Amino acid sequence: MRRIILALPFLLFLNCKQQPALPTGLVTEKAMVVSAREEASKIGSEIMENGGNAFDAMVATELALAVAYPFAGNLGGGGFMVYRKNNGDIGGLDYREKAPLSAHRDMYLDSLGNVIPNMSTVGATAVGVPGTVAGVMEVHKKFGSLSLSDILTPVIKLAKKGVLVTEKQAKRLESYKERFIQVNGDSTKFAANFVAGDTIKYPALASTLEKILENGRDGFYKGEVAEKLATFIQEKGGFITTEDLERYEAKWRQPVVFKYKDLRVISMSPPSSGGVTINQIFKMIESYDISKYGHNSAKSVQLFTEAARRAYADRNYFLGDPDFADIPLDVILSDAYLQERMQDFSFDKATLSSDVSHGEVEIIESMETTHYSIVDDKGNAISATTTLNGGYGSKLYSAELGFFLNNEMDDFSSKAGVPNMFGLIGAEANSIAPEKRMLSSMTPTLVEKDGKLYMVVGTPGGSTIITAVAQTILNVYEYNLSMQEAVNAPRFHHQWLPDVVFFEEEGFSEELKSSLKEKGYQIFEGRSRIIGKVDAIRVLKNGKLEGGADKRGDDTAVGY
Ligand code: DON
């Protein structure tokens, strides 16, 4: 008895440690959507409240983001979605853009073999065949429970009624204004000066959505909209034809699935690198007791950075569209291979990226993709990331159809060894070919614990997506933060090349950075930017849902 009494404080301590963090984000009983704009989260949540499932809500949220968040939400882009049904069935949908039929390996090179500046990033030449409408229609066909009219009507209404400009959006529109004018001329809708509190209406977009409501997928990829779109892109010097549009298909893919301690992680497979790369990172750190090192401590940062260094080196070399490149997934995801990769890691000293591979590049980070997470009242979950690539994509805006077009062609490797806009360099596996999908970093992810849904997570951020998703999961699981705290917590990033570690401005002390420098880490000294804008959901022990809506943006959780 005495022994038990003496052991009591220790037992209580253990017990406390195992208690999951109390929620600090929005908590709802049954269902939730977390996305980049309140209007979109609200439409998605209302779809579920009116009897729709998570898949219906996905269609509504994705299209509502195309209206409310034209910065990244889109009809002219593409994305990836991973789902887990309440019976445990999982799957992934690839609605990534693809290269047009006329594309070829050297299409962005001049006669001397140099990359032509801006050709894969700005204007019509940068546009890949959009996948979003095919993606949502495929989801609706396979899993939808409400009629398309029930789902699209509130979205069309929002486009007609208009969307309020937020402070952050007003700043963004201002900073992109010159580029909109350069690409579209000064009569473009976005040449206006917007201030917070203005309302922007989207009647042209509403009428394109009406065509999709009437004719489904064909309302976009065939007939009037397709003809207008192809003509517009070609008049502006681009390559997409009506044949390219007609041939576009979203593809169902097996997600990447792996165990990390007692978690089961389900994430997107190629042509996204997200799932493979976080799988490698998690497996490389699994044997270390990272929670003991402390959240964002020097040792945690070091371990994570070294794993990321090795994983991104593999990413850039091996990964591409699996329908075009042979990817040795069974080797690069095997335990033996990943243990071997970490053999030369030591806490005493940084590994040099040049010892892992070669190259010198610059990184530019940005937040121009968008992620949303959904759980419905039946326990179905969806994690989806969608993008135009750059902010407002190629900046090319079809006034007639009411949407921006992507600049996703830049995610290919235009030339081996030359970095793209995220500083990522690529190899043969990600070279350009007709109808090939460009490699992505988007990482829509679901996490199970004890066989049950535990987290839904994802983010924008180009090459920083993968590390931001991994750190958010570790924040909850290893460092016992609530979902909202985990999303808000300061983040860092490393991607093999350039051989530097990026830190967000807030939350990392000079002492921490100095101790890393002493060990040979190079710290990025330029202007620090935000890393990721994570929107996530945690399922609490009592079955309620906690939202994590990133404080870095206008992101909002809505549910009931
Ligand atoms: O697919 C990709 O990896 C990129 N096109 C994502 C772009 C992105 O996240 C932009 N925001 N930073």
Side-chain angles (χ1 to χ4, degrees), residues 55 83-91 143 378-381 446:
F55 298 96
Y83 71 84
R84 180 186 184 277
K85 288 170 61 178
N86 55 3
N87 64 3
D89 286 355
I90 58 169
F143 294 118
K378 295 150 205 90
N380 301 306
L446 301 162

Side-chain angles (χ1 to χ4, degrees), residues 100-103 107-108 119 124-127 129 230 233-234 236-242 244 409:
L101 282 160
S102 63
M107 64 189 279
Y108 296 116
M119 192 178 171
T125 50
V127 181
V129 185
I233 294 173
Q234 286 170 37
K236 295 283 182 181
F239 311 110
I240 290 174
T241 62
T242 48
D244 284 318
M409 290 298 284

Side-chain angles (χ1 to χ4, degrees), residues 232-368:
F232 173 68
I233 294 173
Q234 286 170 37
E235 274 172 9
K236 295 283 182 181
F239 311 110
I240 290 174
T241 62
T242 48
E243 191 185 358
D244 284 318
L245 292 167
E246 193 167 339
R247 286 168 66 92
Y248 184 86
E249 276 177 0
K251 294 186 182 182
W252 293 100
R253 309 248 185 217
Q254 263 321 103
V256 170
V257 180
F258 64 94
K259 301 273 289 185
Y260 173 75
K261 300 183 181 173
D262 64 346
L263 301 181
R264 182 170 175 256
V265 181
I266 302 149
S267 190
M268 194 61 213
S269 49
S272 182
S273 62
V276 172
T277 310
I278 62 165
N279 183 342
Q280 286 202 329
I281 293 174
F282 272 105
K283 283 292 175 190
M284 286 193 251
I285 67 176
E286 189 177 28
S287 62
Y288 297 83
D289 203 351
I290 192 167
S291 64
K292 288 234 173 79
Y293 305 158
H295 180 238
N296 283 347
S297 66
K299 271 182 103 173
S300 294
V301 172
Q302 240 190 306
L303 176 63
F304 188 92
T305 298
E306 294 298 346
R309 187 191 310 280
R310 289 154 178 83
Y312 274 81
D314 276 4
R315 174 204 185 277
N316 294 0
Y317 186 73
F318 291 115
L319 303 187
D321 182 342
D323 299 338
F324 286 74
D326 285 329
I327 307 173
L329 282 189
D330 43 350
V331 177
I332 63 173
L333 295 179
S334 70
D335 288 347
Y337 173 85
L338 293 168
Q339 271 166 24
E340 169 67 30
R341 291 285 276 165
M342 283 298 267
Q343 280 287 299
D344 57 348
F345 162 63
S346 150
F347 279 112
D348 299 336
K349 194 165 163 273
T351 309
L352 295 177
S353 286
S354 54
D355 290 342
V356 177
S357 202
H358 307 281
E360 279 306 323
V361 285
E362 288 257 307
I363 184 175
I364 303 155
E365 300 152 46
S366 47
M367 293 305 124
E368 298 111 358

